[in-house]
Amino acid sequence: MSIPFFSTTLRLPPGFRNLLEGLAMEVLRVQPPDVVGFAAQHFQTLLEQREATSADPVVWGARLEE
């Protein structure tokens, strides 16, 4: 579905690019048969790591993008 965005400039949220690059690298490395399931598990692992260590990969990725 296409939604027109006339004069709106869309920008990626800070850290988003880094998260997607990390996922893409893991998908290329592992070559999972179920990419959607793999992505769900990948992000679940990131959530668990964030909760266990208080280290947020989004914040870290945003710092890399600056």
Side-chain angles (χ1 to χ4, degrees):
M1 182 170 142
S2 178
I3 301 173
F5 292 100
F6 295 99
S7 63
T8 303
T9 300
L10 300 176
R11 296 178 190 239
L12 294 176
F16 187 67
R17 175 185 216 127
N18 187 265
L19 282 177
L20 289 183
E21 286 175 353
L23 173 63
M25 287 174 46
E26 286 301 301
V27 166
L28 291 172
R29 183 178 68 80
V30 176
Q31 299 287 310
D34 177 11
V35 176
V36 173
F38 181 85
Q41 183 58 50
H42 176 79
F43 288 120
Q44 182 63 41
T45 300
L46 289 178
L47 280 172
E48 291 168 3
Q49 289 173 350
R50 182 178 72 181
E51 291 169 359
T53 65
S54 298
D56 191 341
V58 172
V59 172
W60 181 77
R63 289 182 184 150
L64 288 176
E65 293 171 1
E66 291 177 348

PDB file of all heavy atoms in Angstrom, residues 3-4 6 8 14 27-28 31 40-41 43 48 54 60-63 66:
ATOM      1  N   ILE A   3       1.357   5.235   0.525  1.00  0.00           N
ATOM      2  CA  ILE A   3       0.782   6.400   1.181  1.00  0.00           C
ATOM      3  C   ILE A   3       1.599   7.614   0.764  1.00  0.00           C
ATOM      4  O   ILE A   3       2.815   7.629   0.949  1.00  0.00           O
ATOM      5  CB  ILE A   3       0.820   6.250   2.712  1.00  0.00           C
ATOM      6  CG1 ILE A   3       0.035   5.009   3.133  1.00  0.00           C
ATOM      7  CG2 ILE A   3       0.263   7.495   3.385  1.00  0.00           C
ATOM      8  CD1 ILE A   3       0.155   4.680   4.594  1.00  0.00           C
ATOM      9  N   PRO A   4       0.951   8.602   0.176  1.00  0.00           N
ATOM     10  CA  PRO A   4       1.714   9.784  -0.254  1.00  0.00           C
ATOM     11  C   PRO A   4       2.173  10.613   0.941  1.00  0.00           C
ATOM     12  O   PRO A   4       1.435  10.835   1.884  1.00  0.00           O
ATOM     13  CB  PRO A   4       0.719  10.563  -1.106  1.00  0.00           C
ATOM     14  CG  PRO A   4      -0.620  10.104  -0.672  1.00  0.00           C
ATOM     15  CD  PRO A   4      -0.456   8.695  -0.166  1.00  0.00           C
ATOM     16  N   PHE A   6       3.542  14.085   1.015  1.00  0.00           N
ATOM     17  CA  PHE A   6       3.759  15.236   0.147  1.00  0.00           C
ATOM     18  C   PHE A   6       5.029  16.000   0.494  1.00  0.00           C
ATOM     19  O   PHE A   6       6.009  15.928  -0.207  1.00  0.00           O
ATOM     20  CB  PHE A   6       2.530  16.143   0.170  1.00  0.00           C
ATOM     21  CG  PHE A   6       1.331  15.467  -0.413  1.00  0.00           C
ATOM     22  CD1 PHE A   6       0.387  14.886   0.409  1.00  0.00           C
ATOM     23  CD2 PHE A   6       1.174  15.362  -1.782  1.00  0.00           C
ATOM     24  CE1 PHE A   6      -0.712  14.229  -0.125  1.00  0.00           C
ATOM     25  CE2 PHE A   6       0.078  14.708  -2.328  1.00  0.00           C
ATOM     26  CZ  PHE A   6      -0.863  14.143  -1.491  1.00  0.00           C
ATOM     27  N   THR A   8       6.634  15.823   3.497  1.00  0.00           N
ATOM     28  CA  THR A   8       7.206  15.262   4.710  1.00  0.00           C
ATOM     29  C   THR A   8       8.520  14.573   4.392  1.00  0.00           C
ATOM     30  O   THR A   8       8.611  13.801   3.447  1.00  0.00           O
ATOM     31  CB  THR A   8       6.237  14.231   5.333  1.00  0.00           C
ATOM     32  OG1 THR A   8       4.994  14.873   5.578  1.00  0.00           O
ATOM     33  CG2 THR A   8       6.787  13.674   6.614  1.00  0.00           C
ATOM     34  N   PRO A  14      17.314   7.260  15.330  1.00  0.00           N
ATOM     35  CA  PRO A  14      18.709   6.992  15.693  1.00  0.00           C
ATOM     36  C   PRO A  14      18.909   5.532  16.110  1.00  0.00           C
ATOM     37  O   PRO A  14      18.116   4.983  16.868  1.00  0.00           O
ATOM     38  CB  PRO A  14      18.953   7.928  16.882  1.00  0.00           C
ATOM     39  CG  PRO A  14      17.936   9.003  16.737  1.00  0.00           C
ATOM     40  CD  PRO A  14      16.746   8.363  16.105  1.00  0.00           C
ATOM     41  N   VAL A  27      21.939 -12.593   9.094  1.00  0.00           N
ATOM     42  CA  VAL A  27      21.190 -13.381   8.098  1.00  0.00           C
ATOM     43  C   VAL A  27      22.143 -13.892   7.020  1.00  0.00           C
ATOM     44  O   VAL A  27      22.075 -15.059   6.619  1.00  0.00           O
ATOM     45  CB  VAL A  27      20.040 -12.554   7.481  1.00  0.00           C
ATOM     46  CG1 VAL A  27      19.477 -13.219   6.236  1.00  0.00           C
ATOM     47  CG2 VAL A  27      18.937 -12.330   8.514  1.00  0.00           C
ATOM     48  N   LEU A  28      23.056 -13.044   6.562  1.00  0.00           N
ATOM     49  CA  LEU A  28      24.014 -13.471   5.543  1.00  0.00           C
ATOM     50  C   LEU A  28      24.974 -14.530   6.081  1.00  0.00           C
ATOM     51  O   LEU A  28      25.341 -15.471   5.375  1.00  0.00           O
ATOM     52  CB  LEU A  28      24.797 -12.267   5.017  1.00  0.00           C
ATOM     53  CG  LEU A  28      23.975 -11.281   4.199  1.00  0.00           C
ATOM     54  CD1 LEU A  28      24.794 -10.032   3.905  1.00  0.00           C
ATOM     55  CD2 LEU A  28      23.471 -11.917   2.922  1.00  0.00           C
ATOM     56  N   GLN A  31      22.436 -17.755   7.060  1.00  0.00           N
ATOM     57  CA  GLN A  31      21.595 -18.231   5.949  1.00  0.00           C
ATOM     58  C   GLN A  31      20.409 -19.060   6.466  1.00  0.00           C
ATOM     59  O   GLN A  31      20.209 -20.205   6.062  1.00  0.00           O
ATOM     60  CB  GLN A  31      22.429 -19.072   4.974  1.00  0.00           C
ATOM     61  CG  GLN A  31      23.576 -18.331   4.312  1.00  0.00           C
ATOM     62  CD  GLN A  31      23.102 -17.356   3.257  1.00  0.00           C
ATOM     63  OE1 GLN A  31      22.321 -17.709   2.395  1.00  0.00           O
ATOM     64  NE2 GLN A  31      23.584 -16.129   3.343  1.00  0.00           N
ATOM     65  N   ALA A  40      13.002 -12.492  14.383  1.00  0.00           N
ATOM     66  CA  ALA A  40      12.291 -12.400  15.664  1.00  0.00           C
ATOM     67  C   ALA A  40      13.192 -12.878  16.803  1.00  0.00           C
ATOM     68  O   ALA A  40      13.269 -12.222  17.851  1.00  0.00           O
ATOM     69  CB  ALA A  40      11.008 -13.228  15.612  1.00  0.00           C
ATOM     70  N   GLN A  41      13.884 -13.987  16.603  1.00  0.00           N
ATOM     71  CA  GLN A  41      14.786 -14.504  17.631  1.00  0.00           C
ATOM     72  C   GLN A  41      15.964 -13.560  17.842  1.00  0.00           C
ATOM     73  O   GLN A  41      16.393 -13.341  18.978  1.00  0.00           O
ATOM     74  CB  GLN A  41      15.289 -15.904  17.256  1.00  0.00           C
ATOM     75  CG  GLN A  41      16.171 -16.514  18.321  1.00  0.00           C
ATOM     76  CD  GLN A  41      15.474 -16.612  19.672  1.00  0.00           C
ATOM     77  OE1 GLN A  41      14.363 -17.106  19.764  1.00  0.00           O
ATOM     78  NE2 GLN A  41      16.110 -16.117  20.710  1.00  0.00           N
ATOM     79  N   PHE A  43      16.047 -10.270  17.488  1.00  0.00           N
ATOM     80  CA  PHE A  43      15.620  -9.115  18.261  1.00  0.00           C
ATOM     81  C   PHE A  43      15.221  -9.500  19.688  1.00  0.00           C
ATOM     82  O   PHE A  43      15.421  -8.721  20.620  1.00  0.00           O
ATOM     83  CB  PHE A  43      14.505  -8.353  17.546  1.00  0.00           C
ATOM     84  CG  PHE A  43      15.005  -7.610  16.342  1.00  0.00           C
ATOM     85  CD1 PHE A  43      14.508  -7.883  15.080  1.00  0.00           C
ATOM     86  CD2 PHE A  43      15.988  -6.641  16.464  1.00  0.00           C
ATOM     87  CE1 PHE A  43      14.980  -7.194  13.970  1.00  0.00           C
ATOM     88  CE2 PHE A  43      16.467  -5.952  15.357  1.00  0.00           C
ATOM     89  CZ  PHE A  43      15.956  -6.233  14.109  1.00  0.00           C
ATOM     90  N   GLU A  48      16.667  -9.349  25.504  1.00  0.00           N
ATOM     91  CA  GLU A  48      17.122 -10.039  26.712  1.00  0.00           C
ATOM     92  C   GLU A  48      18.473  -9.516  27.166  1.00  0.00           C
ATOM     93  O   GLU A  48      18.701  -9.326  28.371  1.00  0.00           O
ATOM     94  CB  GLU A  48      17.162 -11.545  26.473  1.00  0.00           C
ATOM     95  CG  GLU A  48      15.783 -12.149  26.320  1.00  0.00           C
ATOM     96  CD  GLU A  48      15.793 -13.575  25.798  1.00  0.00           C
ATOM     97  OE1 GLU A  48      16.886 -14.145  25.595  1.00  0.00           O
ATOM     98  OE2 GLU A  48      14.691 -14.124  25.600  1.00  0.00           O
ATOM     99  N   SER A  54      21.577  -3.746  30.832  1.00  0.00           N
ATOM    100  CA  SER A  54      21.249  -2.325  30.671  1.00  0.00           C
ATOM    101  C   SER A  54      22.023  -1.675  29.528  1.00  0.00           C
ATOM    102  O   SER A  54      22.079  -0.457  29.427  1.00  0.00           O
ATOM    103  CB  SER A  54      21.509  -1.548  31.976  1.00  0.00           C
ATOM    104  OG  SER A  54      20.686  -2.048  32.995  1.00  0.00           O
ATOM    105  N   TRP A  60      23.824   2.559  21.487  1.00  0.00           N
ATOM    106  CA  TRP A  60      25.178   2.331  20.987  1.00  0.00           C
ATOM    107  C   TRP A  60      25.261   2.594  19.483  1.00  0.00           C
ATOM    108  O   TRP A  60      26.171   3.251  18.984  1.00  0.00           O
ATOM    109  CB  TRP A  60      25.606   0.905  21.317  1.00  0.00           C
ATOM    110  CG  TRP A  60      26.980   0.563  20.881  1.00  0.00           C
ATOM    111  CD1 TRP A  60      28.152   0.935  21.486  1.00  0.00           C
ATOM    112  CD2 TRP A  60      27.348  -0.226  19.749  1.00  0.00           C
ATOM    113  NE1 TRP A  60      29.217   0.414  20.798  1.00  0.00           N
ATOM    114  CE2 TRP A  60      28.761  -0.297  19.729  1.00  0.00           C
ATOM    115  CE3 TRP A  60      26.628  -0.886  18.761  1.00  0.00           C
ATOM    116  CZ2 TRP A  60      29.446  -0.990  18.741  1.00  0.00           C
ATOM    117  CZ3 TRP A  60      27.314  -1.574  17.796  1.00  0.00           C
ATOM    118  CH2 TRP A  60      28.705  -1.622  17.781  1.00  0.00           C
ATOM    119  N   GLY A  61      24.285   2.077  18.751  1.00  0.00           N
ATOM    120  CA  GLY A  61      24.249   2.275  17.303  1.00  0.00           C
ATOM    121  C   GLY A  61      24.063   3.732  16.939  1.00  0.00           C
ATOM    122  O   GLY A  61      24.651   4.223  15.957  1.00  0.00           O
ATOM    123  N   ALA A  62      23.266   4.449  17.698  1.00  0.00           N
ATOM    124  CA  ALA A  62      23.058   5.884  17.434  1.00  0.00           C
ATOM    125  C   ALA A  62      24.361   6.652  17.617  1.00  0.00           C
ATOM    126  O   ALA A  62      24.658   7.571  16.855  1.00  0.00           O
ATOM    127  CB  ALA A  62      21.980   6.438  18.353  1.00  0.00           C
ATOM    128  N   ARG A  63      25.167   6.256  18.587  1.00  0.00           N
ATOM    129  CA  ARG A  63      26.460   6.916  18.798  1.00  0.00           C
ATOM    130  C   ARG A  63      27.399   6.644  17.631  1.00  0.00           C
ATOM    131  O   ARG A  63      28.185   7.508  17.250  1.00  0.00           O
ATOM    132  CB  ARG A  63      27.092   6.446  20.099  1.00  0.00           C
ATOM    133  CG  ARG A  63      26.379   6.980  21.313  1.00  0.00           C
ATOM    134  CD  ARG A  63      27.044   6.559  22.585  1.00  0.00           C
ATOM    135  NE  ARG A  63      26.262   7.031  23.709  1.00  0.00           N
ATOM    136  CZ  ARG A  63      26.204   6.402  24.867  1.00  0.00           C
ATOM    137  NH1 ARG A  63      26.878   5.297  25.065  1.00  0.00           N
ATOM    138  NH2 ARG A  63      25.475   6.886  25.841  1.00  0.00           N
ATOM    139  N   GLU A  66      26.633   8.993  14.645  1.00  0.00           N
ATOM    140  CA  GLU A  66      26.904  10.428  14.778  1.00  0.00           C
ATOM    141  C   GLU A  66      28.197  10.813  14.159  1.00  0.00           C
ATOM    142  O   GLU A  66      29.123  10.195  13.955  1.00  0.00           O
ATOM    143  CB  GLU A  66      26.907  10.836  16.245  1.00  0.00           C
ATOM    144  CG  GLU A  66      25.521  10.746  16.850  1.00  0.00           C
ATOM    145  CD  GLU A  66      25.535  11.080  18.346  1.00  0.00           C
ATOM    146  OE1 GLU A  66      26.611  11.163  18.950  1.00  0.00           O
ATOM    147  OE2 GLU A  66      24.451  11.243  18.872  1.00  0.00           O
TER     148      GLU A  66
END
